[in-house]
C-alpha cells in the first residue's frame, strides 16, 4: 500500500485507535473501561502532569487545586482540592473520564461518579520509584498511550542512572534530614516513613531523621530536637506560610537542632518534591545537590 491510499489507510487506523475504548486495571484492582477521553478531569497534580507528558493535555477540561504543572493547567477550571471533593462540581464539567489518586477523598465521590456513568480510574499513590512507574503506566493505559507511557518510564530510569552516577562521584557522610509539613505556625507536622517527600529525600541519599514516625504526625519541640537533623527540608509554600526562614527558625525546637543552628534548610517546590512522578529522578538529584553541595538556605524549583 503506497502513496495517498497508504496515508489515508494509516489515518483511518489512527482514528479507529482513538475511537476505541481503553481498558485498564486501576489501583483498586478494578478493570475499568474508558470509552472516551474527550473530556478528562484530573484530581491530582501528578496525574495531571503525566497526562500532559503523554500528549493528551488538550483533553483535560478540569483539574484539582494540586494541579499547577505544567503552567497552562492553571487556565482550566478547578473542582477543589483532591481530598475535599464533591461529585456535583466534577459532573458539572461533563467528564468522560475522571482520574486521580487511589486515596481521593471523600471516597463516596468515586461511587457517585460511577453511578452517574462516568469512567473513574484510580492511580497508585505509593511513594517509591516502582510506584512512580506504576502510576505512569496506569494513566497511560487509561488514555490509550501505553507506548508513550513506556517512554516516560525509560526517561525516568535514565534520570535515576544519572542520579546514582552523580551520587557516586560526590559520596560523603550521609546527612540526616527532617521533612516538616507546614501550613502556618499553628499547623505543623513532622513526616516520616510512608510520606512522599521523605521517599524523595531517601532517593536523594538523605537519611530520614524521623525514624519511628509513620506518615505525618503533629510537630513537637521534643520530636524535632530528638531527630537531630543536619538539614531541614520543607515545601516552598509551607515555608512561606510560617514567615520564611526566620519564621521557621522560631518554631518549637528548630533552633536547637544542628540544621537550625547552621540555617541549613532546603525549600523545594511542593509538586516537584512531593510527587514521585516522571520528574522524581531530577527532583532527587536537585535535592542531593542542595543538601550536600551547598551551604545554608537553598531554594529549589522544578
Amino acid at each position: 500500500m503506497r502513496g495517498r491510499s497508504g496515508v489515508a489507510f494509516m489515518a483511518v487506523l489512527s482514528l479507529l485507535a482513538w475511537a476505541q475504548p481503553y481498558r485498564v486495571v486501576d489501583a483498586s484492582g478494578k478493570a475499568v473501561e474508558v470509552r472516551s477521553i474527550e473530556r478528562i478531569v484530573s484530581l491530582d497534580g501528578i496525574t495531571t502532569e503525566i497526562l500532559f507528558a503523554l500528549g493528551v493535555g488538550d483533553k483535560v477540561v478540569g483539574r484539582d487545586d494540586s494541579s499547577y504543572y505544567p503552567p497552562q493547567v492553571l487556565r482550566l477550571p478547578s473542582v477543589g482540592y483532591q481530598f475535599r471533593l464533591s461529585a456535583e462540581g466534577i459532573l458539572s464539567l461533563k467528564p468522560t473520564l475522571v482520574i486521580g489518586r487511589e486515596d481521593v477523598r471523600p471516597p463516596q465521590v468515586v461511587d457517585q461518579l460511577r453511578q452517574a456513568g462516568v469512567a473513574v480510574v484510580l492511580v497508585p499513590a505509593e511513594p517509591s520509584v516502582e510506584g512512580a512507574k506504576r502510576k505512569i503506566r496506569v494513566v497511560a493505559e487509561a488514555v490509550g498511550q501505553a507506548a508513550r507511557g513506556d517512554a516516560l518510564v525509560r526517561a525516568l530510569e535514565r534520570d535515576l542512572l544519572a542520579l546514582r552516577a552523580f551520587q557516586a562521584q560526590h559520596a560523603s557522610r550521609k546527612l540526616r534530614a527532617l521533612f516538616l509539613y507546614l501550613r502556618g505556625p499553628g499547623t505543623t507536622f513532622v513526616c516520616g516513613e510512608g510520606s512522599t517527600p521523605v521517599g524523595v529525600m531517601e532517593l536523594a541519599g538523605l537519611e530520614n531523621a524521623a525514624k519511628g514516625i509513620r506518615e505525618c504526625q503533629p510537630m513537637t519541640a521534643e520530636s524535632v530536637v530528638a531527630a537531630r537533623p543536619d538539614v531541614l527540608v520543607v515545601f516552598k509554600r509551607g515555608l512561606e506560610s510560617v514567615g520564611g526562614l526566620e519564621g521557621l527558625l522560631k518554631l518549637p525546637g528548630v533552633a536547637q537542632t544542628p540544621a537550625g543552628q547552621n540555617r541549613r534548610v532546603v525549600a523545594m517546590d511542593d509538586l516537584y518534591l512531593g510527587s514521585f512522578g516522571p520528574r522524581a529522578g531530577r527532583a532527587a538529584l536537585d535535592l542531593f545537590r542542595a543538601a550536600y553541595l551547598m551551604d545554608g538556605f537553598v531554594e529549589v524549583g522544578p
Side-chain angles (χ1 to χ4, degrees):
M1 190 173 299
R2 296 177 181 175
R4 292 182 179 177
S5 59
V7 172
F9 179 72
M10 293 304 295
V12 169
L13 279 183
S14 176
L15 288 172
L16 286 173
W18 280 99
Q20 287 174 345
Y22 307 121
R23 293 176 179 82
V24 58
V25 176
D26 74 359
S28 68
K30 291 181 181 294
V32 182
E33 182 178 86
V34 181
R35 296 190 180 91
S36 169
I37 61 166
E38 283 306 307
R39 296 184 66 81
I40 303 172
V41 173
S42 176
L43 300 183
D44 86 282
I46 291 307
T47 298
T48 304
E49 181 180 330
I50 295 171
L51 288 167
F52 276 76
L54 292 170
V56 297
D58 61 332
K59 309 292 185 187
V60 180
V61 298
R63 61 171 177 100
D64 88 310
D65 288 342
S66 72
S67 302
Y68 60 85
Y69 184 88
Q72 59 264 41
V73 171
L74 294 174
R75 294 198 292 264
L76 298 172
S78 172
V79 296
Y81 186 55
Q82 59 183 329
F83 298 138
R84 293 189 297 273
L85 296 168
S86 75
E88 291 77 13
I90 298 169
L91 290 171
S92 69
L93 296 176
K94 299 180 171 52
T96 57
L97 167 63
V98 175
I99 184 165
R101 286 172 54 127
E102 60 181 316
D103 54 354
V104 64
R105 292 198 292 269
Q108 296 89 332
V109 167
V110 174
D111 296 331
Q112 292 167 345
L113 292 171
R114 285 177 173 154
Q115 286 166 9
V118 179
V120 180
V121 172
L122 299 177
V123 180
E126 179 189 337
S128 68
V129 169
E130 291 309 308
K133 293 178 183 178
R134 279 193 282 276
K135 210 176 292 181
I136 291 168
R137 288 192 166 114
V138 166
V139 177
E141 288 174 11
V143 297
Q145 296 293 331
R148 286 190 177 185
D150 288 340
L152 279 184
V153 168
R154 289 195 296 274
L156 171 61
E157 290 172 340
R158 287 195 295 273
D159 288 340
L160 293 170
L161 285 175
L163 167 68
R164 292 180 191 117
F166 195 84
Q167 287 171 329
Q169 289 174 356
H170 299 275
S172 62
R173 179 183 70 86
K174 208 164 190 177
L175 296 177
R176 293 169 59 83
L178 184 67
F179 177 76
L180 301 178
Y181 180 87
L182 312 168
R183 284 295 179 267
T187 308
T188 57
F189 294 85
V190 171
C191 297
E193 185 183 352
S195 73
T196 301
V198 172
V200 176
M201 272 178 18
E202 291 179 323
L203 184 62
L206 293 163
E207 180 183 346
N208 172 26
K211 296 292 186 190
I213 292 180
R214 179 75 188 167
E215 298 289 352
C216 297
Q217 302 293 330
M219 172 180 161
T220 64
E222 291 76 16
S223 63
V224 173
V225 172
R228 296 180 293 104
D230 299 301
V231 59
L232 295 169
V233 181
V234 294
F235 286 145
K236 277 187 178 179
R237 292 181 180 181
L239 185 65
E240 291 165 3
S241 75
V242 297
L245 178 60
E246 298 307 323
L248 172 64
L249 295 174
K250 292 175 183 172
L251 294 179
V254 172
Q256 283 73 55
T257 65
Q261 290 162 3
N262 296 312
R263 301 168 74 88
R264 294 196 69 179
V265 177
V266 179
M268 287 187 70
D269 175 80
D270 300 36
L271 198 54
Y272 197 38
L273 173 63
S275 64
F276 262 114
R279 296 180 293 160
R282 280 175 277 162
L285 178 55
D286 284 344
L287 178 54
F288 177 89
R289 286 179 170 135
Y292 282 96
L293 306 182
M294 301 179 191
D295 292 323
F297 174 58
V298 182
E299 285 189 279
V300 179

